[in-house]
Amino acid sequence: MSRLLRIDMSSLSHKWMDVPSKYSDFAGRAFTSSVLSDEVDPTCDPLREGNKIVISPGLLAGTSAPSSGRLSIGAKSPLTGGIKESNAGGLTGTRLGQLGIRGIIIEGMPPAGTTDWYSIYISKDKCEIFKSNEWAGIGLYELIKKIWDKYPGRPGVIGCGIAGQRLHIGAGIFGNNMENSDPGRFAGRGGLGAVMGSKRIIAIISDGRGGEGPKPKDKERFDRGRKALTEALQNHPVTGRLTDDEGKPFGGLANYGTNILQNIISEAGGLPTHGFRDGRFKGAAKISGEAVHELVDKTREKFGDAAEGKYGHPCHPGCVMACSNVVPYEDTGKLQVGPLEYESAWALGANLDIDSLHDVAELNRLCNDLGLDTIETGNTLAMMMEGGLLEFGDGPGAIAALKEAYDPKSPIGRLICSGTLIAGRTLGVTRIPVVKGQALPAYDPRPIRGIGVTYATTPMGADHTAGYTIAAEILGVKGKISDPRDLKKADLSRAFQATTAYIDSVGYCLFIAFAILDNDDGFQGMVDTVNGFLGKEIDVTEYGLAVIKKEREFNRRAGFTEKDDRLPEFFRTEPLPPHNVTFDVTDEELDAVFKDL
Ligand code: SF4
């Protein structure tokens, strides 16, 4: 039996509830976006009491479906001003699933002038809201350790760091990994860490012990689907297992992580480099997933069991793709940061012309410790380079600048935490890569236009995960597309956005898309797990579009118009080397993506 937990931070009280029938098929993004659209005034100030934080594990969290432990966190975004769902791995999705919790709705805030900080502990039998002033203002590595020392049972932990506690809109919501060695599982986008800070919550601790996870209504169908999907994932060259039958490296994600894309996207001419001025980075190989793999092997050889570097690391129990990694320090073999994802290696590397793996990993480690979104922070550092406060390529300078964010009195530190748009405008930059106020991820929309359509039209602000057309445009999944200009970009983006909204709701990791698009049995397996779980038929596209419709309606009520579904001007006017192309998708084509929703 699934249940809801409603927490009121104004009265520091809570109540448990049954899931209302109107939400019975909803979890993950479908749940967070539905609750926000039903309960939050779209015109409210996102950092005042009218906003809510909604937390929901996917529908299949806590079941044995593969790679299904993702967590959705939603709120009105202080970065975009619109609805937001930010999605992460880590332990909390699984722990909430084990507790049979479909969603947590956090509303209100302590009275103005309150200086106390709170944390929340949730277990099978209780929900406790308690003062945790001693956890305020400390780095997240130290925080997660303190929490695990206090609470046995390997709990999931999410929360906000220094940046969120200071209401900076570049802040994300962190999560711990399975070993609790790194707070780097981020629902990073949209400034949701600041929303948590505005409610004066530092951490939410989920203890799954003794809980009764959800049970599929049609177990036979669920099991059939689970097996088919697992097989499709394990046999696909992108999502497959670490080694093949002969012991050779096999799955691209397991061996090289998402950062396998650094070289691929650079070769394709779509890797934003030097502040979106070039599509190729000559230092790509040095900061790539292959470089991390080699470093891990090297430190294992040198330091043996004391080495802490990893690849093929699952971010939550039951992930069979295991794309995560742990980057070790070369001179000690000890953990520097984990994971170093493609987006982070790009934002803190190629886009800043930084080609030192050590410096990129250090910038990522600092973002994790401060509680900052790496994509937003990397783009913000690029604004500082554009604006003349730092030199492109200056890794140590960027590290020193980011360290200023620990000091609450440092103007540079505050600027770095305030996001790309604010930093760009403050510094007089006119090439600011944002949509709806949120910074662009690691695919230049000029040569890869389908993803540009997603950036422009998703209700989430520039977000590659909202409709990952790269799978078709670059990786040739579901057939090869040779010239992106030939695509029906509106159809491509719409199809990916709808499927993504469904996947984000059921709790699967988006990376299952590679296998299910290439393997019809895998796709059917995914459908069978969901429909077997619910004991009814759900159509993938209809379900996803219904979620997007609610999100667009929220944004419309917040004041967004079609003019907000556009890319910054410079993508239309500045050709990008090496292909020297601009973003030439017409406004009519952008408006066609969701014209009938
Ligand atoms: S594939 Fe990677 S990001 Fe996705 S759930 Fe597994 S480890 Fe996490």
Side-chain angles (χ1 to χ4, degrees):
M1 178 70 184
S2 294
R3 51 187 179 151
L4 294 188
L5 175 61
R6 200 177 271 276
I7 294 173
D8 183 350
M9 289 304 294
S10 309
S11 56
L12 302 179
S13 62
H14 74 276
K15 60 182 173 199
W16 294 98
M17 303 166 64
D18 292 339
V19 179
S21 58
K22 67 176 176 175
Y23 298 148
S24 60
D25 299 340
F26 294 167
R29 177 171 163 188
F31 182 83
T32 63
S33 290
S34 296
V35 172
L36 291 171
S37 117
D38 289 345
E39 298 189 11
V40 171
D41 175 356
T43 63
C44 76
D45 184 321
L47 298 180
R48 294 176 67 89
E49 56 267 55
N51 203 3
K52 302 191 183 194
I53 300 173
V54 188
I55 298 162
S56 179
L59 199 59
L60 303 181
T63 72
S64 52
S67 307
S68 63
R70 304 283 300 186
L71 181 73
S72 288
I73 304 178
K76 175 171 172 173
S77 163
L79 192 72
T80 70
I83 199 164
K84 190 73 198 170
E85 183 259 5
S86 205
N87 195 285
L91 261 183
T92 296
T94 303
R95 294 291 180 255
L96 292 180
Q98 288 168 333
L99 291 169
I101 294 177
R102 184 70 68 84
I104 303 170
I105 301 168
I106 304 175
E107 52 202 7
M109 60 173 42
T114 306
T115 53
D116 284 325
W117 288 96
Y118 297 91
S119 290
I120 299 165
Y121 172 78
I122 302 161
S123 66
K124 175 172 165 279
D125 305 313
K126 76 173 177 187
C127 168
E128 186 191 358
I129 305 165
F130 59 95
K131 275 188 198 168
S132 56
N133 293 324
E134 69 282 11
W135 290 349
I138 64 175
L140 290 176
Y141 284 88
E142 189 184 344
L143 176 68
I144 60 169
K145 184 171 179 326
K146 279 177 188 278
I147 292 176
W148 266 37
D149 286 349
K150 179 168 174 187
Y151 292 99
R154 308 169 62 80
V157 186
I158 57 172
C160 70
I162 291 169
Q165 290 160 29
R166 293 181 192 153
L167 308 191
H168 293 311
I169 61 176
I173 291 182
F174 78 91
N176 60 341
N177 63 12
M178 290 206 298
E179 298 81 11
N180 198 47
S181 54
D182 200 302
R185 310 308 325 188
F186 266 81
R189 312 241 59 204
L192 300 192
V195 183
M196 195 165 273
S198 75
K199 304 210 175 291
R200 303 198 67 81
I201 298 169
I202 290 180
I204 300 171
I205 301 149
S206 315
D207 181 343
R209 288 176 300 170
E212 258 190 54
K215 303 270 180 299
K217 290 215 168 93
D218 179 348
K219 186 165 179 333
E220 202 183 311
R221 185 173 184 188
F222 174 83
D223 281 341
R224 193 168 65 237
R226 179 171 62 82
K227 280 181 199 137
L229 178 57
T230 304
E231 209 173 294
L233 292 173
Q234 292 191 323
N235 291 330
H236 193 278
V238 176
T239 59
R241 57 201 182 280
L242 193 60
T243 54
D244 65 13
D245 293 340
E246 291 165 6
K248 298 199 180 105
F250 177 63
L253 287 174
N255 278 285
Y256 309 111
T258 53
N259 201 12
I260 190 174
L261 287 166
Q262 198 80 222
N263 286 317
I264 294 171
I265 304 295
S266 184
E267 281 306 303
L271 183 73
T273 299
H274 195 92
F276 285 86
R277 279 205 171 74
D278 202 335
R280 281 208 177 123
F281 181 43
K282 63 179 182 330
K286 291 196 205 165
I287 58 169
S288 65
E290 291 89 328
V292 172
H293 185 109
E294 279 171 23
L295 177 62
V296 169
D297 282 352
K298 197 164 139 189
T299 50
R300 276 182 188 165
E301 234 168 73
K302 196 162 159 197
F303 300 105
D305 288 347
E308 294 177 351
K310 285 182 191 149
Y311 44 80
H313 179 234
C315 79
H316 69 259
C319 176
V320 299
M321 296 180 281
C323 79
S324 274
N325 56 31
V326 172
V327 182
Y329 285 109
E330 188 170 359
D331 54 351
T332 64
K334 298 289 177 199
L335 176 148
Q336 184 176 17
V337 73
L340 178 60
E341 303 277 11
Y342 166 62
E343 299 296 331
S344 306
W346 160 76
L348 303 165
N351 200 39
L352 307 179
D353 284 352
I354 295 173
D355 66 2
S356 154
L357 182 57
H358 170 276
D359 290 354
V360 169
E362 192 62 15
L363 287 165
N364 197 158
R365 192 185 70 74
L366 289 166
C367 285
N368 290 0
D369 199 42
L370 288 156
L372 285 168
D373 176 23
T374 52
I375 297 176
E376 203 62 44
T377 306
N379 276 287
T380 306
L381 286 165
M383 294 299 97
M384 294 174 64
M385 291 173 175
E386 290 270 341
L389 294 190
L390 280 170
E391 294 291 320
F392 274 102
D394 181 3
I399 290 168
L402 188 47
K403 280 186 179 165
E404 290 210 29
Y406 287 98
D407 176 359
K409 296 209 167 117
S410 161
I412 289 291
R414 287 182 168 218
L415 192 64
I416 287 180
C417 297
S418 297
T420 306
L421 181 61
I422 288 177
R425 292 243 168 98
T426 305
L427 297 169
V429 176
T430 59
R431 301 172 71 262
I432 306 177
V434 298
V435 176
K436 299 181 180 71
Q438 179 169 276
L440 258 64
Y443 310 89
D444 198 293
R446 287 165 282 191
I448 320 177
R449 294 175 173 81
I451 202 73
V453 176
T454 296
Y455 293 160
T457 58
T458 168
M460 298 294 156
D463 185 345
H464 62 296
T465 66
Y468 193 64
T469 61
I470 302 301
E473 291 183 284
I474 297 290
L475 302 175
V477 170
K478 199 77 177 170
K480 185 96 185 115
I481 292 168
S482 53
D483 184 349
R485 280 165 291 193
D486 292 340
L487 290 173
K488 286 188 178 151
K489 301 161 207 80
D491 291 347
L492 182 81
S493 178
R494 178 188 168 103
F496 272 89
Q497 289 195 54
T499 309
T500 301
Y502 169 92
I503 289 176
D504 286 345
S505 302
V506 299
Y508 279 125
C509 175
L510 188 55
F511 299 144
I512 70 163
F514 298 109
I516 61 168
L517 287 173
D518 267 348
N519 180 325
D520 291 345
D521 291 343
F523 187 89
Q524 189 56 44
M526 172 188 77
V527 169
D528 283 340
T529 54
V530 176
N531 293 356
F533 180 81
L534 289 171
K536 67 203 287 192
E537 296 301 315
I538 298 278
D539 181 85
V540 172
T541 307
E542 270 174 30
Y543 186 101
L545 285 176
V547 174
I548 294 170
K549 185 173 180 180
K550 282 183 197 178
E551 293 166 346
R552 285 180 62 82
E553 179 58 18
F554 183 100
N555 280 2
R556 193 191 61 71
R557 289 189 285 138
F560 285 73
T561 69
E562 61 196 18
K563 290 199 174 50
D564 295 295
D565 289 349
R566 303 287 183 262
L567 295 184
E569 185 187 73
F570 76 90
F571 290 112
R572 290 193 180 278
T573 57
E574 285 183 22
L576 183 78
H579 300 306
N580 296 318
V581 288
T582 56
F583 185 73
D584 59 2
V585 180
T586 63
D587 290 351
E588 291 70 35
E589 204 166 358
L590 294 176
D591 294 340
V593 176
F594 293 124
K595 69 174 181 301
D596 58 341
L597 267 195

